[in-house]
């Protein structure tokens, strides 16, 4: 690895016209190509500076191509088109020393590349559905990119294949950083691997027109140097970056709850929910809410306030348990008197509050059963001869499912405690009347 990469930094510094680093070198770790301290680094030291002029952005597309792609293709898709164009140039590309060092398709483990047997391992997770949606989005953007290439590069560049675009899309999605250009691939900086506990990130200095990384800790020569990609759950890491981490403190679970089709008040409930905008949920990277999608995080205390279970989810459960129009009208009036948010206050009737949270607990318990069944299958499956790729993805599935199960159980434990407390309170008047 060292012999292959010894010329990379001099090449990058030559085209940048500036020094990139005095303290880092390229090496190999279990994660692939990585960066290591070549000398002592102290917390607060600037480890690298990559000028904007050696960063790859969507602006490298010709103006006519950019116009053709319009808003139907996002920044990731546009930058993927740049990569495809440069790869088609081969040795004539300005970026060949960088592009040749990017991971190969066989080294990519985003779920968009998983086969059916691998994909079924995570069928109980929302990542399964999000992967299907992302692949559909990639195919949609590919159709626009392929048409633009055909129109503007008919004789110069061979029309790309969907597999090429999906590979380029995954590369960009896992390596690019948000910048003033939208997003940018930052050569050398993107060889740094993720540590969720790191405080180091890539920062843009608009005044000096460069991106830089400052050390958050001391490093000795030979230590691998890390940054934090973001506070991402394993679901996001798996889909967007192609890896997971054991016991991820940022794990969360996406759950869906619907108003049943046979609910006599379905139309009234849906109208009320839409009018009051019960919640707007948007994950940093991959998950976008529909009217029934919520994010649960780990609940740290069984007897606390339930932080981790969204108030919007509990509100949704309160709406679900309403059985007569008057109850919904009362919720609407209550919202109008307060901040406009629907069903954010507990029911005054504790038995109704108990029923609402039992609905929620029942739903989460079903998810726990589904996750437990998938994990049991993973643990009991005997694969004596498996490829390294399958072994990596199997471990990723375990990290994802165990993390989501931990979050779900924490939510169930809190809900159990809340329901038990409500039941004991509602039972007291009955017991007192019998005495």
């Amino acid at each position: 690895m060292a012999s292959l990469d010894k010329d990379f930094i001099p090449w990058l510094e030559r085209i940048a016209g500036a020094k990139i680093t005095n303290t880092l070198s390229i090496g190999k770790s279990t994660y692939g190509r990585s960066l290591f301290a070549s000398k002592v680094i102290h917390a607060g030291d600037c480890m690298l500076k990559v000028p904007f002029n050696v960063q790859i952005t969507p602006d490298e597309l010709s103006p006519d191509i950019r116009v053709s792609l319009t808003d139907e293709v996002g920044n990731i898709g546009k930058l993927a088109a740049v990569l495809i164009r440069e790869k088609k140039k081969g040795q004539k590309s300005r970026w060949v020393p960088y592009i040749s060092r990017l991971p190969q398709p066989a080294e990519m483990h985003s779920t968009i590349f998983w086969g059916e047997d691998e994909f079924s391992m995570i069928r109980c997770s929302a990542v399964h559905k999000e992967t299907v949606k992302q692949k559909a989005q990639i195919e949609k953007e590919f159709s626009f990119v392929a048409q633009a290439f055909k129109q503007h590069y008919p004789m110069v560049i061979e029309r790309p294949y969907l597999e090429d675009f999906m590979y380029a899309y995954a590369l960009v999605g896992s390596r690019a950083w948000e910048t003033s250009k939208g997003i940018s691939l930052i050569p050398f900086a993107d060889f740094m691997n993720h540590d969720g506990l790191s405080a180091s990130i890539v920062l843009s200095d608009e005044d000096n027109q460069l991106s830089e990384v400052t050390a958050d800790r001391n490093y000795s020569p030979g230590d691998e140097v890390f940054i934090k990609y973001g506070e991402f759950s394993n679901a996001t890491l798996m889909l967007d970056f192609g890896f997971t981490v054991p016991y991820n403190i940022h794990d969360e679970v996406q759950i869906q709850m619907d108003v049943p089709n046979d609910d006599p008040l379905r139309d009234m409930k849906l109208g009320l929910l839409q009018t009051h905008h019960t919640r707007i949920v948007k994950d940093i990277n991959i998950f976008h809410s529909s009217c029934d999608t919520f994010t649960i995080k780990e609940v740290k205390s069984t007897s606390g306030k339930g932080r981790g279970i969204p108030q919007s989810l509990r509100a949704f459960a309160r709406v679900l348990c309403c059985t007569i129009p008057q109850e919904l009208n009362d919720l609407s009036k209550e919202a109008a008197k307060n901040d406009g948010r629907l069903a954010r206050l507990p029911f005054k009737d504790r038995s109704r509050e108990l029923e609402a949270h039992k609905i929620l607990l029942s739903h989460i318990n079903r998810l726990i059963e589904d996750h437990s069944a998938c994990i049991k299958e993973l643990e009991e499956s005997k694969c004596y001869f498996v490829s390294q790729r399958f072994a990596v993805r199997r471990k990723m599935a375990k990290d994802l499912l165990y993390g989501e199960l931990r979050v779900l159980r924490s939510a169930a434990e809190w809900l159990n405690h809340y329901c038990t407390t409500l039941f004991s309170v509602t039972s007291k008047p009955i017991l007192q009347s019998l005495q």
Side-chain angles (χ1 to χ4, degrees):
M1 181 68 72
S3 60
L4 294 174
D5 288 320
K6 66 178 182 180
D7 297 329
F8 182 80
I9 297 176
W11 163 77
L12 189 60
E13 290 178 339
R14 185 172 64 255
I15 65 171
K19 191 70 178 175
I20 302 294
T21 184
N22 290 310
T23 57
L24 300 177
S25 61
I26 303 171
K28 187 175 182 180
S29 71
T30 54
Y31 308 106
R33 188 173 272 102
S34 310
L35 295 188
F36 294 83
S38 56
K39 58 178 65 175
V40 172
I41 299 174
H42 298 288
D45 289 350
C46 182
M47 297 186 289
L48 61 82
K49 294 182 178 182
V50 182
F52 289 171
N53 68 332
V54 288
Q55 298 182 19
I56 309 176
T57 73
D59 287 348
E60 298 214 12
L61 288 172
S62 60
D64 50 356
I65 289 284
R66 291 204 300 272
V67 170
S68 297
L69 296 182
T70 67
D71 293 332
E72 297 293 338
V73 179
N75 281 329
I76 294 179
K78 291 172 183 173
L79 194 44
V82 173
L83 276 187
I84 288 177
R85 186 198 65 183
E86 293 302 318
K87 284 181 70 69
K88 295 291 186 183
K89 290 182 180 179
Q91 294 299 316
K92 295 181 180 179
S93 170
R94 173 197 184 198
W95 300 108
V96 67
Y98 169 67
I99 292 175
S100 64
R101 287 167 169 81
L102 294 175
Q104 296 302 303
E107 301 172 281
M108 306 286 284
H109 296 292
S110 163
T111 47
I112 64 173
F113 299 116
W114 288 26
E116 286 301 319
D117 289 345
E118 297 164 333
F119 203 37
S120 67
M121 295 188 293
I122 59 169
R123 63 185 180 277
C124 62
S125 171
V127 179
H128 190 280
K129 181 180 289 187
E130 291 299 325
T131 301
V132 173
K133 287 167 60 177
Q134 179 141 311
K135 289 178 73 172
Q137 179 63 28
I138 292 172
E139 290 180 14
K140 177 183 175 182
E141 294 193 19
F142 169 72
S143 66
F144 288 100
V145 171
Q147 181 60 36
F149 274 45
K150 181 180 179 181
Q151 180 180 352
H152 299 287
Y153 299 143
M155 306 299 293
V156 180
I157 297 179
E158 179 185 353
R159 191 182 185 204
Y161 293 101
L162 174 60
E163 293 77 11
D164 297 332
F165 184 73
M166 191 170 291
Y167 164 59
Y169 196 99
L171 281 174
V172 173
S174 62
R175 308 181 78 84
W177 291 84
E178 290 188 6
T179 64
S180 57
K181 297 291 187 180
I183 60 172
S184 303
L185 285 168
I186 308 177
F188 190 65
D190 66 359
F191 294 159
M192 301 179 85
N193 290 310
H194 170 75
D195 176 2
L197 300 178
S198 174
S200 293
I201 58 174
V202 175
L203 295 173
S204 292
D205 182 341
E206 296 293 336
D207 292 335
N208 293 305
Q209 293 287 287
L210 55 82
S211 298
E212 60 185 356
V213 178
T214 299
D216 70 324
R217 67 192 76 168
N218 297 331
Y219 289 101
S220 298
D223 290 346
E224 184 174 358
V225 174
F226 293 94
I227 56 174
K228 179 167 65 177
Y229 296 170
E231 295 183 348
F232 296 135
S233 66
N234 273 337
T236 298
L237 292 176
M238 176 180 268
L239 177 55
D240 285 353
F241 298 91
F243 68 90
T244 54
V245 295
Y247 202 93
N248 188 338
I249 62 173
H250 302 298
D251 270 332
E252 58 190 29
V253 180
Q254 292 285 324
I255 70 170
Q256 286 191 324
M257 293 191 70
D258 301 296
V259 179
N261 289 327
D262 59 357
D263 188 330
L265 299 177
R266 174 181 167 81
D267 290 342
M268 187 176 181
K269 289 178 180 180
L270 290 177
L272 200 60
L273 289 166
Q274 186 170 1
T275 299
H276 288 273
H277 300 291
T278 305
R279 67 250 163 249
I280 299 175
V281 182
K282 182 177 179 182
D283 186 29
I284 291 176
N285 238 5
I286 63 173
F287 291 115
H288 300 276
S289 73
S290 62
C291 65
D292 55 4
T293 303
F294 304 86
T295 303
I296 294 180
K297 299 182 183 292
E298 187 170 6
V299 183
K300 301 297 185 182
S301 172
T302 302
S303 58
K305 296 182 178 180
R307 188 182 301 275
I309 303 176
Q311 289 293 328
S312 54
L313 175 57
R314 298 172 65 187
F316 191 90
R318 292 184 184 111
V319 173
L320 276 185
C321 80
C322 290
T323 56
I324 59 175
Q326 185 59 47
E327 290 177 331
L328 293 173
N329 289 331
D330 289 344
L331 289 178
S332 182
K333 291 177 183 178
E334 178 188 81
K337 288 180 181 179
N338 295 293
D339 59 5
R341 294 183 298 174
L342 189 67
R344 289 305 177 101
L345 299 176
F347 280 125
K348 294 178 181 178
D349 183 344
R350 290 180 180 270
S351 63
R352 304 296 286 155
E353 181 74 355
L354 175 60
E355 183 180 347
H357 285 76
K358 277 186 173 181
I359 292 173
L360 188 51
L361 178 58
S362 175
H363 187 82
I364 289 178
N365 279 335
R366 286 196 297 272
L367 293 177
I368 289 174
E369 291 175 4
D370 292 343
H371 277 67
S372 297
C374 284
I375 289 172
K376 185 178 180 182
E377 283 185 25
L378 277 174
E379 296 292 0
E380 292 181 350
S381 62
K382 296 181 180 179
C383 304
Y384 298 105
F385 302 101
V386 297
S387 65
Q388 182 181 2
R389 184 184 71 177
F390 183 81
V392 168
R393 294 177 181 178
R394 187 167 177 239
K395 180 184 178 302
M396 288 170 62
K398 285 184 177 182
D399 286 342
L400 172 74
L401 297 182
Y402 274 115
E404 292 191 343
L405 182 60
R406 186 182 75 250
V407 172
L408 289 168
R409 282 176 171 166
S410 74
E413 288 172 3
W414 185 87
L415 286 167
N416 263 318
H417 181 270
Y418 187 70
C419 288
T420 300
T421 303
L422 286 172
F423 181 76
S424 64
V425 173
T426 54
S427 299
K428 283 180 180 179
I430 298 175
L431 292 173
Q432 289 172 356
S433 66
L434 295 174
Q435 290 176 352

